[in-house]
Amino acid sequence: MYELMQLCNDIKSDLQGVIKSLAKITKTHTQLVSEEWNRKEEVLKLLAISPRTFNRLISTGKLPYSKVSGITFIKTSDVEKLLNENYHNQN
């Protein structure tokens, strides 16, 4: 009987570990999708640029993008890279 109780406790502990791991994986996946990519409209507002300027940045390759079902997505890191490349320090 004691062995059965110990086995049940071990299984419970293992399941709790699996649940915690799944929660971390789910959170990581959600963060990647929601925090790393922006829609075209968000980038237009963020950079305060016109759609024509946006299209020029895309067509010249200065701003990489992904397009899914007609929706344009831009990585946040690519927007930051563009800003850093055009940063001018007055000092």
Side-chain angles (χ1 to χ4, degrees):
M1 183 69 174
Y2 174 76
E3 291 174 359
L4 182 59
M5 292 288 287
Q6 185 63 35
L7 181 61
C8 287
N9 284 334
D10 291 345
I11 292 172
K12 179 182 175 184
S13 177
D14 289 345
L15 285 175
Q16 287 173 337
V18 168
I19 290 170
K20 286 180 184 179
S21 295
L22 287 173
K24 286 180 184 178
I25 291 170
T26 302
K27 184 177 179 183
T28 301
H29 175 70
T30 303
Q31 287 174 337
L32 287 175
V33 172
S34 66
E35 292 180 5
E36 243 186 84
W37 292 91
N38 298 295
R39 289 179 175 231
K40 173 183 176 178
E41 295 77 18
E42 296 167 330
V43 175
L44 290 174
K45 288 179 186 177
L46 178 67
L47 296 177
I49 59 174
S50 69
R52 184 174 177 146
T53 300
F54 178 85
N55 290 336
R56 189 171 54 249
L57 291 170
I58 294 290
S59 65
T60 59
K62 291 183 179 179
L63 190 58
Y65 70 99
S66 179
K67 199 166 202 170
V68 179
S69 297
I71 302 171
T72 303
F73 295 95
I74 310 295
K75 280 187 176 182
T76 301
S77 59
D78 289 332
V79 174
E80 290 173 355
K81 181 179 176 186
L82 178 69
L83 290 171
N84 286 327
E85 288 172 352
N86 291 283
Y87 180 74
H88 300 281
N89 191 346
Q90 298 280 334
N91 295 334

